[in-house]
Amino acid sequence: MEHSAVQQSELAGRVALVTGAGQGIGEAVVRALVARGARVAALDATPAGVKALEAEYGTGTVTHHVADVSDGAAVEAAVGAAEATLGPLDILVNVAGVLRTSPVVTTSDEDWERTFAVNSTGVFHASRAAARRMAGRRSGCIVTVGSNAAGVPRTHMAAYAASKAAATMFTKCLGLELARSGVRCNVVSPGSTDTAMQRALWTDDRAPGRVVDGDPAAYRVGIPLGRLAEPADVAEAVVFLVSDRARHITMHDLYVDGGATLRA
């Protein structure tokens, strides 16, 4: 079988659920999974994007589900509905996230709590619902899309960085608990990626260049590879970790940041 055909069938017969699937990295993950043959339950708090994916691919391939990941009961119901429609989950990808920036001393309680409710507690809710099912079947993969900010301090991003660090360690602990059941749990940590979330931080047309070059005043290095990531770059890392090519990888944190964190 030719390489392209193998790639297109790599995840054939598998069922995935992706949170935050309506745009950006989440949408790219849905598309990458479908391209490898998976059927996908696309979940988002906002219906427009996931409904569009369902309309594009058809309900036999993508189904849309609307839920706020901070609501545990809603997530449990959505996972149940996804399994009832598409079949038992083989893959969960946690992408849903929010970013609210400010200095710590002016961060409101609401911004802090909402950031953790989505970025950390949302990962817990979705992972718990999936893990309960996967562990009993002794098979499955969970990937959490975190952030390189989880490992490097960022000015005005304390809530986001702390919430992503929590989600990262939670996923690793879950991976340890589930390892003997055969369920693998890993993290993909993007750096600056060309998404609506990233663009919301830009104040002028030169902002992308500053991200690539770095900002010494903010104690932030640039991106050695000289480019912003595209959502598809992150999605490809996710696809690798949920595939059989990564069958002996668990509790790993894969940085996809063009070298921006200068990790040893």
Side-chain angles (χ1 to χ4, degrees):
M1 187 179 293
E2 293 183 0
H3 175 71
S4 60
V6 171
Q7 186 181 58
Q8 290 168 8
S9 63
E10 183 173 37
L11 300 176
R14 300 189 195 181
V15 175
L17 186 144
V18 180
T19 73
Q23 63 178 345
I25 292 171
E27 179 186 347
V29 168
V30 172
R31 294 185 182 281
L33 292 171
V34 169
R36 267 64 171 202
R39 291 173 292 152
V40 183
L43 183 148
D44 203 284
T46 303
V50 289
K51 283 186 175 181
L53 284 168
E54 182 181 88
E56 178 180 346
Y57 287 108
T59 55
T61 301
V62 175
T63 59
H64 86 274
H65 304 267
V66 180
D68 185 329
V69 293
S70 69
D71 183 337
V75 170
E76 181 68 33
V79 172
E83 288 210 333
T85 304
L86 296 177
L89 281 183
D90 302 292
I91 297 164
L92 167 68
V93 187
N94 293 301
V95 188
V98 297
L99 170 62
R100 299 185 180 184
T101 59
S102 68
V104 170
V105 296
T106 58
T107 298
S108 68
D109 288 356
E110 194 277 329
D111 280 348
W112 178 269
E113 291 163 4
R114 180 60 181 165
T115 299
F116 271 81
V118 176
N119 296 358
S120 304
T121 306
V123 169
F124 162 66
H125 286 155
S127 298
R128 179 180 62 183
R132 284 172 173 166
R133 294 162 167 84
M134 291 176 177
R137 297 190 288 259
R138 304 190 65 79
S139 177
C141 299
I142 295 172
V143 173
T144 295
V145 175
S147 171
N148 66 356
V152 178
R154 300 292 194 205
T155 57
H156 299 180
M157 292 178 65
Y160 181 79
S163 69
K164 289 293 189 176
T168 294
M169 185 52 71
F170 165 79
T171 303
K172 291 181 178 182
C173 290
L174 180 64
L176 183 59
E177 291 186 9
L178 296 180
R180 289 301 177 96
S181 74
V183 178
R184 299 185 295 104
C185 302
N186 291 292
V187 179
V188 171
S189 292
S192 297
T193 305
D194 192 358
T195 63
M197 181 182 287
Q198 174 67 218
R199 288 173 176 267
L201 300 174
W202 297 349
T203 56
D204 56 59
D205 293 341
R206 292 174 291 178
R210 288 196 295 271
V211 173
V212 171
D213 294 338
D215 183 1
Y219 311 103
R220 183 167 184 156
V221 301
I223 303 174
L225 283 182
R227 59 183 286 271
L228 290 171
E230 297 175 4
D233 297 322
V234 183
E236 287 298 316
V238 171
V239 167
F240 166 68
L241 286 173
V242 303
S243 76
D244 291 341
R245 289 174 289 153
R247 67 181 186 176
H248 204 57
I249 299 174
T250 194
M251 295 179 279
H252 182 66
D253 187 359
L254 175 57
Y255 274 48
V256 183
D257 68 354
T261 49
L262 306 181
R263 297 189 85 202

